[in-house]
Amino acid sequence: MDNIKRLDQRIELLRPILGFEGVTFQQLREIADCSFEKSYSKGELIFDQGEKCEFFYIVMKGLVKVSIYGSSGNKITYLLAGTGEPLNLVGPFTGNPRYLSAESIENTSILLLRNEDFLAYTYRHPVVIKNIMSILGYAIDSANDKILDMIEKRVEQRLIKVLHTLQKKFGQRLKFTSRDFAELAGTTTESTLRAMAQFRKRGMIKSNRGEIIILDPGFMENQGFEVYWV
Amino acid sequence: MDNIKRLDQRIELLRPILGFEGVTFQQLREIADCSFEKSYSKGELIFDQGEKCEFFYIVMKGLVKVSIYGSSGNKITYLLAGTGEPLNLVGPFTGNPRYLSAESIENTSILLLRNEDFLAYTYRHPVVIKNIMSILGYAIDSANDKILDMIEKRVEQRLIKVLHTLQKKFGQRLKFTSRDFAELAGTTTESTLRAMAQFRKRGMIKSNRGEIIILDPGFMENQGFEVYWV
DNA sequence: CGGACCTTTGACAGAGCTCAAAGTCTGTGG
DNA sequence: CCACAGACTTTGAGCTCTGTCAAAGGTCCG
């Protein structure tokens, strides 16, 4: 049956995340049972800031950008979530709106769980709570780190850090536009393009429309750069 | 007995925080029983970044500044914790080091609980988990908001926002140095001093060494400024 | 084909960081 | 009780990074 197959897929998606490894198949099945899927095409809005949170979202396929808009049209990217990554860890607990919006940047399918279903389950597994706390800790540390970088690092250095971060997560071929990089580094598209021109001159990268290829992965590694958490 | 009195104090400290209201006296007593106190004089380091976390810290009396240091000596303040406020919500769950250090900025006494004691207790009370998640959510949103403000707001505006925030928390008389304000707004002492000179000219504030008095609280209220979470 | 989006580059201006020097306050220790 | 070192405040001058505005060409999609 196709339905069974689908359920299996969901179970395999859930198992490796948040500490669900230790959980029995039967239990995972229960939770997978009351989940459902939703598809979004490239560029579609998944949720917007200020909306109440009713569901817990996990990316099944594709790529999602979670970001924040400033009052003068600026935007920063807070999280890039791929397969198996959750979009909103806090929301299900409070149900309250957050200052985050999520947008698919590829064709994406999302697994949704009602808050209650996710929570009922979570409360029974301390290790899941622990892992969520740990992730939120990283998120906070990373955000604070970015604030510091805004103060003491220049655009170029922040961009190298962004490239390094993305390389660790996605490999050497990064299919993002300069605007995407700018939103990650907290700068403008123009400054990003200028910096990229520099990097190209130095032989650090190669670039086509909508993608950057990192030529010398070792270089950034050796710089002693920390990575952000995205 | 003095000991009984002390225990009562601790219980009264714990009750209003994190959703412990609903908890019976007996249970609070249990947890207060295995806590202990520690005193720090002004300017003392309570914990440093990179240390493992063994205890959950709550401020009993005084004021604590939780901050992060950058590689070139910069520093930003992440949290100002007064009576009843916890210093490290994530630490007890993971035990892992964070990028945070805490320093008393008044003579302070802290209530400490071993991670295990705090957690054992917490896991039994979903409302506590929920409240912790909620606080962490605010912390993340606030940090992201600060990043946006670093991009699109000028030093003056960020400082007004900081003053507004502190006013809400501490009232019109703010006993902080310009360096403290700078660390909150993500700028330098000099720029802060210059901005404060402006505010003084405009009749918004009055200032002495080590304190700022906000003269027109309504003004900031009406500006439609959001506040940070500190 | 046309519009939308992305890239590229130039010129310019200004916010604010840095360095510097001097004055003021405070509390610690002799 | 006084002196002095350290911390805080104040203000100036200069410089530079980078955001803003602008113009033009390339690419993709409907």
Side-chain angles (χ1 to χ4, degrees):
Chain A
M1 281 286 290
D2 223 41
N3 262 343
I4 298 287
K5 210 164 152 196
R6 216 154 223 180
L7 209 53
D8 276 354
Q9 265 180 21
R10 295 188 196 167
I11 291 172
E12 288 322 306
L13 181 78
L14 288 169
R15 192 191 296 288
I17 69 171
L18 295 179
F20 286 173
E21 300 92 342
V23 166
T24 65
F25 185 84
Q26 199 44 240
Q27 280 183 305
L28 274 178
R29 202 203 137 100
E30 268 173 45
I31 192 171
D33 234 354
C34 52
S35 67
F36 64 100
E37 293 170 35
K38 216 167 156 183
S39 289
Y40 299 86
S41 51
K42 186 174 173 172
E44 220 176 322
L45 193 65
I46 299 170
F47 56 79
D48 203 358
Q49 55 189 308
E51 285 178 9
K52 287 212 164 188
C53 175
E54 292 185 50
F55 301 99
F56 176 55
Y57 298 77
I58 303 169
V59 179
M60 294 195 74
K61 198 178 64 65
L63 194 55
V64 175
K65 182 166 75 172
V66 181
S67 18
I68 306 167
Y69 294 82
S71 45
S72 16
N74 288 294
K75 188 171 157 188
I76 57 171
T77 298
Y78 159 72
L79 169 67
L80 287 172
T83 299
E85 294 190 280
L87 298 185
N88 58 341
L89 286 170
V90 173
F93 285 91
T94 69
N96 292 334
R98 297 280 306 284
Y99 290 125
L100 297 173
S101 60
E103 175 195 344
S104 56
I105 55 179
E106 292 175 5
N107 292 338
T108 294
S109 81
I110 304 274
L111 189 68
L112 293 97
L113 264 89
R114 301 199 72 78
N115 292 350
E116 311 86 76
D117 297 331
F118 174 61
L119 290 191
Y121 189 73
T122 296
Y123 284 136
R124 268 183 273 135
H125 299 278
V127 64
V128 175
I129 297 281
K130 186 190 128 156
N131 285 329
I132 293 176
M133 295 288 179
S134 172
I135 292 174
L136 295 178
Y138 280 120
I140 293 176
D141 284 351
S142 177
N144 282 321
D145 193 30
K146 283 187 189 178
I147 297 175
L148 269 174
D149 285 352
M150 296 292 296
I151 298 174
E152 65 183 24
K153 302 262 206 296
R154 302 188 288 173
V155 167
E156 262 196 24
Q157 297 175 283
R158 299 207 302 270
L159 278 168
I160 291 183
K161 206 160 159 182
V162 164
L163 289 176
H164 186 199
T165 304
L166 295 185
Q167 183 208 315
K168 288 238 169 189
K169 182 157 184 170
F170 301 106
Q172 294 178 235
R173 167 175 299 245
L174 303 173
K175 307 204 80 184
F176 299 96
T177 67
S178 288
R179 170 186 293 255
D180 291 326
F181 292 119
E183 287 169 4
L184 284 160
T187 181
T188 59
T189 324
E190 292 95 326
S191 293
T192 303
L193 258 339
R194 264 183 260 270
M196 292 299 182
Q198 284 302 313
F199 298 160
R200 224 177 301 130
K201 269 188 204 151
R202 290 186 222 151
M204 291 162 55
I205 62 167
K206 222 172 59 179
S207 65
N208 304 315
R209 183 190 179 88
E211 76 174 0
I212 297 270
I213 293 141
I214 295 175
L215 294 177
D216 184 3
F219 172 74
M220 294 190 228
E221 213 63 58
N222 300 332
Q223 295 272 61
F225 279 120
E226 288 296 311
V227 296
Y228 296 124
W229 177 91
V230 282
Chain B
M1 283 287 290
D2 224 39
N3 262 344
I4 298 287
K5 212 163 150 194
R6 209 146 227 193
L7 209 55
D8 276 355
Q9 267 181 20
R10 294 189 197 166
I11 293 172
E12 287 322 307
L13 180 79
L14 288 169
R15 191 191 298 288
I17 69 171
L18 295 179
F20 286 173
E21 300 92 341
V23 166
T24 65
F25 184 85
Q26 199 43 241
Q27 280 183 305
L28 276 179
R29 203 202 135 99
E30 268 173 45
I31 192 173
D33 236 354
C34 53
S35 68
F36 64 99
E37 294 170 34
K38 214 165 156 186
S39 289
Y40 299 85
S41 50
K42 188 175 173 172
E44 221 176 321
L45 194 67
I46 299 169
F47 56 79
D48 204 359
Q49 53 189 309
E51 286 178 9
K52 287 211 163 191
C53 176
E54 293 185 50
F55 300 100
F56 176 54
Y57 297 78
I58 304 169
V59 178
M60 295 194 74
K61 198 178 64 69
L63 194 56
V64 175
K65 184 165 74 172
V66 181
S67 15
I68 305 165
Y69 294 82
S71 46
S72 18
N74 289 293
K75 189 173 157 188
I76 57 172
T77 299
Y78 159 74
L79 169 66
L80 287 171
T83 300
E85 294 190 279
L87 298 185
N88 58 340
L89 287 170
V90 173
F93 286 90
T94 68
N96 291 336
R98 296 280 306 285
Y99 289 127
L100 297 173
S101 60
E103 173 195 346
S104 57
I105 55 178
E106 292 175 7
N107 292 337
T108 293
S109 81
I110 306 273
L111 189 68
L112 294 97
L113 264 89
R114 299 198 75 77
N115 292 350
E116 311 87 77
D117 297 331
F118 173 61
L119 291 190
Y121 189 74
T122 296
Y123 283 136
R124 269 184 272 134
H125 298 279
V127 65
V128 175
I129 298 281
K130 187 190 126 155
N131 285 328
I132 293 176
M133 295 287 180
S134 171
I135 292 173
L136 294 179
Y138 280 121
I140 292 175
D141 284 350
S142 179
N144 282 321
D145 193 31
K146 283 186 189 177
I147 297 175
L148 270 175
D149 285 354
M150 296 292 297
I151 298 175
E152 67 183 21
K153 302 261 205 296
R154 303 188 288 175
V155 166
E156 263 196 22
Q157 299 177 280
R158 298 207 303 271
L159 278 167
I160 291 184
K161 207 159 158 182
V162 164
L163 289 176
H164 186 199
T165 304
L166 296 185
Q167 183 207 317
K168 288 237 171 191
K169 183 156 183 172
F170 300 107
Q172 294 178 236
R173 165 175 301 244
L174 303 173
K175 307 205 82 186
F176 299 96
T177 68
S178 288
R179 169 187 293 255
D180 291 327
F181 292 118
E183 287 168 5
L184 284 159
T187 180
T188 60
T189 325
E190 293 95 325
S191 293
T192 303
L193 258 340
R194 267 183 257 270
M196 292 300 181
Q198 284 302 313
F199 299 161
R200 225 177 299 129
K201 270 188 202 151
R202 291 185 221 152
M204 290 163 55
I205 61 166
K206 223 171 58 180
S207 65
N208 304 315
R209 184 190 179 87
E211 76 175 358
I212 297 268
I213 294 140
I214 295 175
L215 294 176
D216 184 1
F219 171 75
M220 293 189 227
E221 213 63 58
N222 300 332
Q223 295 271 62
F225 278 120
E226 288 295 312
V227 295
Y228 296 123
W229 178 90
V230 284

